Amino acid sequence: MIDSHCHLDHEPLFENLDEVLKRSKNVGIKKILTICTTLKSFENIIKIINKDDIIYGTFGIHPHETSNNIVKKDEIIQNVNKYKKIIGIGETGLDFYYNKSEKDRQIASFKEHIDASIKTNIPLIVHSRDAEKETYDILNEYKNENLKILMHCFTGSKEFSEKLMTLNSFF
């Protein structure tokens, strides 16, 4: 079993990482993917992935954080290529429910992450909340690219999930 939706850099998990790992292994977890949400969180992600062989990580900026954390494709690629155990790009995407960041900044950030994912052939970790149309429209722009998608946060409808599956980008 793989847990692909962890934020081990968040408290109280980060301060209790040894106990979290012990419990995970005791219930049969074989791999853990801890998801990056900010530039600051990436510093802890690097520490965490070196803690145990079963832990892997990602590099990305959560849509809520795009007002203060914008990265370009080249910076994403540089950070991903530095570390063998960084196996995903994101958490990225669109969240129009909380309005913590401007839509234009979220969209620009999402596209930078997508471009980096295509360039590196590393899966894109997508967050989508109250942004079905925009998420689909953007991903559809890349349907002929070699884009692999893991839906990390999904609050959409069954129809939206079926529409996403037509993109043939999921692994």
Side-chain angles (χ1 to χ4, degrees), residues 94 110 128 131-143 160 162-167:
L94 305 173
F110 190 25
S128 179
E132 286 186 17
K133 179 184 180 336
E134 294 87 347
T135 299
Y136 177 79
D137 289 349
I138 290 169
L139 292 173
N140 192 46
E141 291 175 28
Y142 298 90
K143 70 180 177 185
F160 178 43
E162 290 170 347
K163 205 170 161 182
L164 286 171
M165 295 302 285
T166 67
L167 297 175

Side-chain angles (χ1 to χ4, degrees), residues 91-109:
E91 176 169 2
T92 185
L94 305 173
D95 191 319
F96 300 156
Y97 181 77
Y98 291 110
N99 294 317
K100 291 187 177 188
S101 294
E102 302 80 18
K103 286 183 180 182
D104 290 347
R105 290 188 60 102
Q106 290 185 45
I107 290 168
S109 179

Side-chain angles (χ1 to χ4, degrees), residues 145-159:
E145 302 291 335
N146 187 24
L147 178 63
K148 298 177 184 121
I149 301 167
L150 184 146
M151 291 303 290
H152 177 75
C153 173
F154 180 86
T155 61
S157 64
K158 179 181 178 192
E159 293 77 21

Side-chain angles (χ1 to χ4, degrees), residues 10-23:
H10 294 190
E11 297 300 348
L13 301 175
F14 186 65
E15 71 180 29
N16 296 299
L17 196 53
D18 290 335
E19 182 60 30
V20 170
L21 280 168
K22 180 180 173 185
R23 286 193 323 259

